[in-house]
Each structure stands twice: as C-alpha cells, then as structure tokens.
Amino acid sequence: MIVVMRAGASDQDLAHVIEKIEALGYRAHVMYGVERKVIGCLGDERGKAQLQSLELLRGVENVVPILSPYKLAGCQLKPEPSIVTVSSECAIGGRSFAVIAGPCAVESEEQILQTARAVAAAGANALRGGAFKPRSSTYSFQGLGEEGLRLLRLAKEETGLAIVTEIMDRYVLDQVIESADILQVGARNMQNFPLLNALGSAGKPVLLKRGMSATIEELLLSAEYILAAGNPDVILCERGIRTFETATRNTLDLNAIPALKARTHLPVLVDPSHGTGVWSYVAPMAKAALACGADGIIVEVHPRPEEALSDGAQSLKLDKFAALMNEMKPIAEAVGRNLGRRNAECVRA
Amino acid sequence: MIVVMRAGASDQDLAHVIEKIEALGYRAHVMYGVERKVIGCLGDERGKAQLQSLELLRGVENVVPILSPYKLAGCQLKPEPSIVTVSSECAIGGRSFAVIAGPCAVESEEQILQTARAVAAAGANALRGGAFKPRSSTYSFQGLGEEGLRLLRLAKEETGLAIVTEIMDRYVLDQVIESADILQVGARNMQNFPLLNALGSAGKPVLLKRGMSATIEELLLSAEYILAAGNPDVILCERGIRTFETATRNTLDLNAIPALKARTHLPVLVDPSHGTGVWSYVAPMAKAALACGADGIIVEVHPRPEEALSDGAQSLKLDKFAALMNEMKPIAEAVGRNLGRRNAECVRA
Amino acid sequence: MIVVMRAGASDQDLAHVIEKIEALGYRAHVMYGVERKVIGCLGDERGKAQLQSLELLRGVENVVPILSPYKLAGCQLKPEPSIVTVSSECAIGGRSFAVIAGPCAVESEEQILQTARAVAAAGANALRGGAFKPRSSTYSFQGLGEEGLRLLRLAKEETGLAIVTEIMDRYVLDQVIESADILQVGARNMQNFPLLNALGSAGKPVLLKRGMSATIEELLLSAEYILAAGNPDVILCERGIRTFETATRNTLDLNAIPALKARTHLPVLVDPSHGTGVWSYVAPMAKAALACGADGIIVEVHPRPEEALSDGAQSLKLDKFAALMNEMKPIAEAVGRNLGRRNAECVRA
Amino acid sequence: MIVVMRAGASDQDLAHVIEKIEALGYRAHVMYGVERKVIGCLGDERGKAQLQSLELLRGVENVVPILSPYKLAGCQLKPEPSIVTVSSECAIGGRSFAVIAGPCAVESEEQILQTARAVAAAGANALRGGAFKPRSSTYSFQGLGEEGLRLLRLAKEETGLAIVTEIMDRYVLDQVIESADILQVGARNMQNFPLLNALGSAGKPVLLKRGMSATIEELLLSAEYILAAGNPDVILCERGIRTFETATRNTLDLNAIPALKARTHLPVLVDPSHGTGVWSYVAPMAKAALACGADGIIVEVHPRPEEALSDGAQSLKLDKFAALMNEMKPIAEAVGRNLGRRNAECVRA
C-alpha cells in the first residue's frame, strides 16, 4: 500500500504516519518527490482495511492499495488453469467448452424430462433447473422445493446428465448436496458469506455467479471464501452486471472473461440468458463467449417458454437450443475447444 | 400490463395473444392505433413474470408493466406515514429525526462503552455496532460474534440506548433478537429471501438497507417480503449505490428519499458513512438527509478511527459527532423535525 | 403513449386529461381496469416530450412511452441491412467483416507509414489515425492537426487504405472531409447536435461512436440526426460504456450488437481497444465481436505502444495485430463472414 | 506515478523499466517489498498518458497514478473559495446561495416575461432559459434561436435579472455572449474541448455542467480547459449522473458537493430539476443542496408546465417556486447562507 502525503505536510506529520505504519506491522519506505512525499508500506496487505484508515491522519492525502488479497484464487501460486471434473461426461475448464442447459425453474415432471432429453440429445454436459428460486417479489413462484430436487434426480437417472441447481440457504444444504452435482450460488448470494463458508465443506463443485454489481475483484474474493474454507472446486460465472442500459435486462460483461483469465486459474462460465434477458440475443452472446475464451455456458431452455413460470422471455425453445449447438460447432473448432458432452477431458477422465 | 404489437402483426397473431392473456386470467382490451395495436391486460399484476413471457409470441413488439406489486409497503392501502416505536427514547418516523450512531464493529468493551456514552451524551437515539460482520475478504476481521452481542447489552444497560446490530444469518437469529432492539439487514442481504422471510416472525423492528445496486422498486419488494411474513415494523435505509464515480466509496442517493416517500408509508433512514466512505463528507450529507425529508441517520462513530478494525476512513470521531448534532439542530428546527433523543413521538410514547 | 391514472382519480380528473391529450392532437382511448384507468394516446409520438408533461395533471400516476422516434434508422421502413461502400476495398455491412486499424494519434511520418504498411499487409480494410484528438486534460498531446491529415493522405497514397479520422469540430470539417474516407464522431461528441447536423451534408460516410453513457436508443436517435440531415451512410460503433467495473477502462457492451441488429439496418462496428483499455483483452473481444454478428472492428495498432503519445496501454503491436487477423480467419469462416480487405462486397463493388 | 512490478520480474526487467522512466524525464525510485518491487516515478505528472504505457513493458504488473493534473482548478495554488460576481444582484460563491430559475426553453414573450417577473419577485438572482436547445431527438423542439435571445434581453430589461443561457456551438458564440451574463455549457458538451477552449476568451462567466457520466476528476479537467485558456470565472454544476435507477431521470449526486469542495476553489451549483426529472422531488433536493454546502441552485420554473415544449415534468409552477424560496429561508439561516437576490456579497459588490 502507498500513502501519499499532502503537499504541505510537515516533517512531524510524516514521522507520525511512519510510526503508525510500523505499529501496524509494516515497514515504511519514504520517497521524496518534487512536490510531496510518498510512503510505501511493505508487508502482507491482507489486513488492508486498517491501513486504509491512515487516510485519517494529519498530512495524508490518500492511500492507494497495490495488491488484492485473493491468494488461493489468484494465478501466482497456481499459474496453470484448473479443471473441475464433475462426471465422466462433464469437465469444466481446459480444452472443454461445457454446456449446461435447462429451465429456470423445475415446473413439472413432464417439463423437466422433456427438456433433459432434448438438451442431452443436442450434446449438453449438464442439466440446470431451479428447485428453490430467489424471486424479487414474495408473490412470485418460488420453486417446487424438495419435489423439484426429486424431479432433477429423475432426469439424471434417465439421461445421465449432471445436475446443476441453486443453493440459497444453509438450512437445505444437505438436501441439495444429495441431489446436485454442481451447487449454484446465485448472483444475489455472491456475498452471502455464511453460505460461502458452509460450501467450503460441501464436497461438491460450486458454481459461483458474479453479483449484479460485483467487481471482478469482489467475485474473486468471494471465491477465496470457498477455497479458503476447503473446497478447491470453484467455477466462476459471468451473468451480466447492472448498468444504465435498459435494452437488455443486464449487461453481459464478456470483458470479464479475459480479465478473469488474467487473474485466476479457476474456470469461467457465461450465462447469456440472464446476461441479456432476451432469448434472441442468447445465441449471439453464447457464440461470443466461446470466441473470447470462456470455458462454457449455462443457458435457459424450456419446451414452451411462453408458459414458463419464470424467465420465459429469455429462454430458448428446444429446437433453438439444438440449432445453437450446431452453430457453435465450427466456432469451437476454430478456437480449438471441445464442445459439449463428448469433449476431450471427459474422455480422459 | 400493456402488450404492444408489431406494426405488421396479423389479425391471427392478435387473436392468439388475446387467447394467451385470457388463459392467464386477465381481460384483454385492444386499442387500434395509427400504426399498431396495443392490448391492455386488465387484472391483478402480481403474477407479472408470466405476462412478460408474452413477448415471445409472434407479432409482439414488447410488454410494458404498469404497476408494482408491493401492496403492503405501498402508499395506497396505507397513505399515512408509519412510525416504528423502538423504545421510549427511540421512535422512527413521523416528526422525529432519529440518530443511530456507533462503530462499524464492536471491538472491545472500552471502545463500545466509550462510544455509547459519548453518542448518548450528544443526543443519539440508538447505538449501532456490528457483532457479526460481512467482509468482502475472508481474511478481514469478521466481528467478535457472541462476545460482541454481550458488549452491546452492556452498553445498553449503562446508557439506555436502543441497540441496532446486523443479522447476517438465520443460524444466529435467536441470539441476535435477544440482544438487539432493531435488527439490521445489510446491503448484501437485501435479497436474501430466506432471511427476510425469517424476519417476518422476529418480533423486533427490521432496518432494511438498500442493496448496492438495488432499485427503489426492488427495495420495496424486499420490504414486502418481511411485511407479508408478518412483521409490520420495517425501516428502510438508503446507504449509497454503486456507480462509476470513484471519488466516493458509494454514491449516496438522496433522491431515494422523496422517491420512497412518494411510494411507501415506511420510514426511511440515511447512512452517510457507507454512502460516501469519507468521514469529512458525512456531516454535509447528514444535513442534506435532514433537509430533504429523511426520518433519521445511521452514522459510524469511533473513538479512534485511525485504529478501527473496519471502516475507519468513514468514521467520525466522538467530538465531530457531537459537533454534527449541534449543526443539525437549527436545520431540524427549520424543517420542523425533532432531532435525536428527546423527540416528540418518544415523549408521547 | 399510455397514461396511467391513480387509483383514486376522479371522473373529472380523467375528463381533464383526455381534453389535454386531444388538445395535443392525439386520440384518447380509455381502458377501465380493476383498480385504475389507463388511457392510450393514439397518434404520432414524435412530439413525445409534450405528452410526458401530462404527468403533471391531477390524478395521473405516470406516463409510459411506447415507441421510439427513429424512423430512418429503424428497421421498419428498411428491413434489409445497409451496406456502406467506402472504396473498392472497403465495404461495411453485409457479409463483410471490415477491419479498421491504426494508431490512436498520428505522431510522425515514420510511425503512420510503418503502421499503414503493416496493417495493409495483414489485410486491414482501412487505416485509422487521429489528427485532432479530444483529450480529458488540456495538458495532454492534442494531435498534429493539419499536419496529421497530410500524413494520413500520404499513407493512403502509398497503401491504398481508406482513411478514418475523427472530426471534433465544424470549423475544420472541410479539411477533414478532404483527407478522410470515413468521418469518425467520437464518443464525447455523440450528442454534439450541431456537428451531427453538419455531417448530414458531408458527402462522406460517418462512423458514429456510442457515447460513454448513451443508451442504444440514444445512439439511434443521434444517427437519426445525420440521416434526417441528408447523409444515408452512417456506421454505428460500440466502444464500451461506463460502469462501476474498474478492471477495464470501459465495459465493452457486446450485447449492443444483437440489440442494435434488432432495431436498425445500419452496420455496427466494435472498438475493442477503447472498449477494454487493455491490449491483451483486445484480441479476445475482437473475436467475440466477430462471433456475435458485428460488421467489423476498429482497433488501435502502434509500432511501439510503450512510446505512444496516447492510448499506448490498449494498442496492439504490429505482429500482435497480424496474429489477430490470422486467429479471426477460421472464426470468420465458421460464421460465414468475409474478413478484411478482400471481402465479397468489395469485389462486387 | 507508481509502477508495480510482477512477483517474478527479473532484474533485467526492472532495469529496462527504470531506463524507460528516466527517458520520459522522471526520476525512478525503487522500493524492495516482501514479494515484489515497486517503483516511484518522481516528477510532474501532467504527461501522465505516456507513463501509463509502461504497463506494456515486460515484468510490469500495473501502473497507479497519484496526482490529478488540474492545477488551476485545484485547491493547492488557491485555497480560498472563489466568488464569481455576475452583477450587483448576483454573486456566486462565498456566503451567497444563488438561485437561478426559469423555463427549460424560451417559448414566447408572454411565457418568459411572466416567469421572469415571478422568479424575480420570489427573490431569484438570475433567469435561465434556453434559446438553442440540445435535444436527443432531431424531431423535438430545438429552441427559438436568436429570437429566444432577444426575448431574454427583454426579460432582463424589465426585471434586472442576470441571464443564463446555453451555448452549444462556437458558431453562435458572439450572439450568445451579447445576450447572456452567464454562458451555460450543457452536460452533453462538458467534453466539447474546442468549445471549452473558445470560452477561455469569452469574457463572461461560464456555468459548466457535469456530464452525465463524468467523474468529478473529469469535471475539474474540463474546468481546467477554460481556466487555462484565460477565463477565471468558472462555476461548476452537479446535475445528476446516469445510474441503473429508473425512478428518477438521473441520480442527482449531492456527494459531489463535499467532494468538489475538497478539491477545488470554484463555486458549485446544483440542478435538482435535471437531477431528478420529477417536479415533486425538486424542492427536497434543493433544500438538501443548501444544507450540504452548495453555492446555489439552477431550477426549472414554468407558468404552465403541462404545456411546456420540453422538460415539463420536472418544472415547478410559479407558486411552487415561491413556496420553495420560503422553505429555504430558515435553512439558509441555519447554515449561515444568504439566500437569493439580496445576499451579502451582492450588497457589498
């Protein structure tokens, strides 16, 4: 961390700041500039918040942090990309481009089975479907709960697809772990720290979605919670951030893909359904995700979107999803990725 | 909800959309415009999400919602402002301008007692202090936990101040209820729906902070969760939203005060500490909050901010807080509000 | 436009609103809902601002616009995509994927010629380079001005590349028109309406960049200014919007590509250099732009970025640009686009 | 500026970076941290953009700027607040709280005279009114132009109010200078650098509005353009920034008041009309502006807002404006400001 002194700061001010820095366990190193003095604070920055308080001392202009405290999620200790192996047909990371598809919410046996069969046939690696649904309004459909989990297990039995479903609450963690192959943490829970800590010992991979207004650094800090609590299998997911633009439900931030790849070894998925909120933008953005280096997509698919109990407007019909898989094939080849179910890492696994 | 048809939509398309609208239990009313047709969907809009899916039907341009589904939080059923009575010295709403002050986190007995005495002497209504702290980094100080709650009870015993502390997790709800007079839901938990539901039966007032990127409508929808679950004592709190501006930690959105007052009967507080992140901006924004109609402030105060374990840079020293109380007095008179501890509603209570 | 009446509005209020609507030249059509009345205003909405003022009348809850007033830019009157033909080797739109490359600013004869030769050899369609530079600070390098234009003409003579340069000010419009094949309007000038009007009679294609905080609708309304003033050759350009994220200079909004394609016939380029601000993110985002349906890219290339007088951090070196062109080739084939200089439409032209 | 080296950077990398720093005319000062080296670049940072390019060198992690290059606008060279004296009845800055009021656009002689008389009677210092209007849509009312300027002169003759009107374009600068006492630069032109440069020699005070997505630093850099070009009389204006919130037209950012006051000696006004877009929020936000230390407001007032040709929804009626002046009086006293026309500095002037 760097402490910038005001132009008119006295020697006494400087001495006092240095004293405080050293009391916090850091070494102070002063640089004498043309107009003002700058102090480097040398030492581990993980107790950063306290250093920030130095801004309050007389003569201090501002305090500039240098490093981010995500050691386990960062590239430095582990430069090679991580691959999360979910099942023999689902690996996320490496040369695989994983495809997770399914409805926003599990609504009925017929709906989830029809979807599971169709996305399996089109080459998806995993089935998504919400049993417990976070909804902005208390009056909206909140999911089938345990019955939803049962239907997901049924779909897995029939199709062999790995199951991805959301965990909103520690109270149902055991139940969800039993039914899911990947535990999804929704955008609204990215900073639900008790939940993140609990997932550290879940024993199942965690799909951590970026919060609606979370920076890339905050996403990595949330991943660090899970990693530090003991679970190495964290998959990140860009799902759109909140901006002023209203033509899309969110602004899918594909810049996050190269920005994350430059900072972390963890695999990164993209959710073009929530990211745009408009079904006809899903295919273009899925292809863009593939082209810019994402490790896969998670996409909403529904047999009859116009009757969906949630997120209908952003869901692909079954045939549109199959068409998207076909359109992605040549792009996957062009960028050297193995698309969907029969991808290289899975075969090796 | 209004469904706008495309310019070239056929009569058949129109008939199909009408059929769907009626199948969802609404009445359809068609207006024939110069260039296109517009359909009004008459009926209760609380099942809105499904209507939105009509966007998927052939010939539909877009779907425009009209009403927001927060019945209990809204002004329509209850036009007069609500007053939440916490104790004989702390009422929030009405002519009172409540002042909640204290450190970000409870750090030690000496720290919390010294602060409690000082803010009580300066006229605060309640003491804030975190026992369980949500922190972006897993390596930051996470609060004293139960010991923190004990110290808060101690401070209450000595000063008589009502206690405001954060509840992050249902697992410790009972403990927190025992020690707190107002249960604070932090910005990161504004859409933690299982927690909101649990607070419906907490039997204590809830201070619900606006999420960092939550719209005013979403804040009201979250309040509706608590109200619908049975707890009528909800206090809203504007605490800064996330924007592109980096000169402040957040952008305190005071526009939310008149905007909320136009929509809800619930009292509205302002947190100028998190809202700005800079201690020297706290007093100006506190005064602005008072002038624009807020029902109080919640402000961070610490005996030695430069040694605080969290949020030091945005905390007022004890004497600066006392000075702020003095500066607010004439403004409170000018706008007809009773400032702090000895306010009218309390005296009546 | 739709006028929503308050729940308690009287018949008199309603009659008064209808009278006002009709005085403004619209037909009023009332729908009687369960709780409140809704009035449709039928007629051309281009005088929208006045209708919005109806919000002020007693009994009115709010006013909801339905249509956007960009007739010439919109798809309705001209559903087929427009192709802007710049030269025999540069067409923008249709099956072409155009590549415009070059330095942020023209700095010297040696710099611009070296760059022009390299990007031409790698297959670019056009050379970009700023002669007049908008800079946030008055103390930064502001471009070579007329001398910069002369150097661009020199580069064109030698390489045959079409020239793209920015026009910031009507005072130098004639000079810039003489030297440029495409007139670029920068993000900061997207709503410089006198300039847009002047470009209506420029007789050269205009590359209109989206403002840093402009909505897609506002971008189209600015294009409408140029189109309505008589210039049909408008090319839109997504170049990143301003959000809270600081890991990238801007947030390149690729969602804008499908969103614009759904609304307009005009071609759409992407600027991954300004969009991200980080050279190593430029190639991934360029490939994503190609995959999601953009009509080309405009990218910053410099022989020695570390010595650039502006935007060095986001500029590609000459060999990195050539590598990007190679990496884009198979993706272009996969999505059926003709990449760069020797593209189909040019050959036909 | 601080250059942070990567953890694994070699001594050779370090030497190369130092060489480059010194070639740019700065002194390099190396600090050897626990994990990585950090280099301070000592010297004037006004050529900042080039230093930023050091990010491209091998071994460099990132480059962190320390100082902002607005010397003339900054507090350091001129710590005492500036007062811009417009007329004997209008001073902006110091103890005055200036009130500028009037319609968005001049629409007719009757409209502007009626408004001018009313706002003068209520105590305003100056009359605002647009003759040349920037409008998002080319089809909207663009102002009366020269005829509008004539009507403003007429209003000044009758009421003695100083005139504030917008200058959009250098082509009409002479005309506008002749009619206006304060030249307003709208939000869309905050970074129209040729215009800012031209205003340096205008000989009249300039009211510079913050751009919709401009940071506080960028606003000060734009002020620096005008100051450096020779005009010392710059008045800043916060008018709302663009955020995700849709309940207000913009998000009026009152945090900017203390944040600007900490950085600049220039006076700062607030525009609660554009800042909120809703007439009923204008009075609360005007009072908040007064309470938090702004030097005045600029507010839209219209005799018949529901018939206004632009911005009707955010305009106050004449009686509402008079009521606001009355409501502000006791707050002005409470915070020690002289409200409106008969303020201290004017009397002294």
Side-chain angles (χ1 to χ4, degrees), chain D residues 11 14 52 100 102 110 139 145 153 178 241 275 300 325 345:
Chain D
D11 287 356
L14 184 71
Q52 201 75 45
I100 303 172
E110 186 264 342
Y139 306 116
R153 289 193 305 270
E178 237 171 83
I241 56 174
E300 292 192 345
M325 289 300 281
E345 278 76 10

Side-chain angles (χ1 to χ4, degrees), chain A residues 78-150:
Chain A
K78 185 175 185 307
E80 71 283 5
S82 292
I83 297 177
V84 175
T85 303
V86 181
S87 72
S88 65
E89 297 191 317
C90 180
I92 298 177
R95 286 176 54 87
S96 303
F97 187 80
V99 178
I100 303 170
C104 176
V106 181
E107 295 170 4
S108 70
E109 182 172 327
E110 186 264 340
Q111 172 241 26
I112 194 69
L113 289 183
Q114 188 182 354
T115 308
R117 282 172 209 135
V119 303
N125 301 70
L127 177 71
R128 61 153 291 157
F132 299 94
K133 297 297 308 168
R135 302 303 300 274
S136 297
S137 169
T138 191
Y139 305 117
S140 298
F141 173 62
Q142 312 265 331
L144 296 181
E146 286 188 50
E147 168 67 4
L149 295 177
R150 190 186 66 80

Side-chain angles (χ1 to χ4, degrees), chain D residues 197-232:
Chain D
N197 274 327
L199 291 169
S201 46
K204 289 267 171 88
V206 175
L207 174 54
L208 178 66
K209 291 190 136 187
R210 180 182 185 185
M212 219 164 348
S213 67
T215 61
I216 281 167
E217 174 163 326
E218 287 167 343
L219 173 58
L220 290 170
L221 287 171
S222 284
E224 189 85 2
Y225 262 92
I226 304 171
L227 297 168
N231 189 340

Side-chain angles (χ1 to χ4, degrees), chain C residues 82-118:
Chain C
S82 291
I83 298 176
V84 175
T85 303
V86 180
S87 72
S88 65
E89 295 192 318
C90 180
I92 298 175
R95 285 176 56 87
S96 304
F97 187 80
V99 178
I100 303 172
C104 176
V106 182
E107 295 170 4
S108 71
E109 182 171 328
E110 186 264 341
Q111 173 239 26
I112 194 69
L113 289 183
Q114 189 182 352
T115 308
R117 283 173 208 132

Side-chain angles (χ1 to χ4, degrees), chain C residues 135 139 169-170 224-225, chain D residues 135 139 169-170 224-225:
Chain C
R135 301 305 297 274
Y139 305 116
D169 194 25
R170 287 159 63 193
E224 189 85 3
Y225 262 92
Chain D
R135 303 302 300 275
Y139 306 116
D169 193 25
R170 288 157 65 192
E224 189 85 2
Y225 262 92

Side-chain angles (χ1 to χ4, degrees), chain A residues 3-80:
Chain A
V3 177
V4 183
M5 300 297 291
R6 286 180 197 284
S10 71
D11 286 356
Q12 212 178 344
D13 292 342
L14 184 71
H16 184 60
V17 173
I18 290 172
E19 194 184 302
K20 285 282 180 186
I21 289 169
E22 292 178 344
L24 288 168
Y26 300 80
R27 265 193 313 128
H29 182 110
V30 185
M31 293 186 294
Y32 295 86
V34 180
E35 271 189 18
R36 62 189 70 200
K37 298 168 192 76
V38 169
I39 314 172
C41 306
L42 309 179
D44 190 329
E45 285 193 303
R46 286 185 300 188
K48 207 162 58 170
Q50 264 172 290
L51 277 178
Q52 200 76 43
S53 300
L54 295 171
E55 282 190 359
L56 294 162
L57 298 179
R58 207 179 47 206
V60 173
E61 171 99 13
N62 66 331
V63 170
V64 184
I66 298 293
L67 299 178
S68 284
Y70 42 85
K71 296 221 156 171
L72 303 174
C75 283
Q76 205 168 307
L77 292 180
K78 185 175 185 307
E80 71 283 5

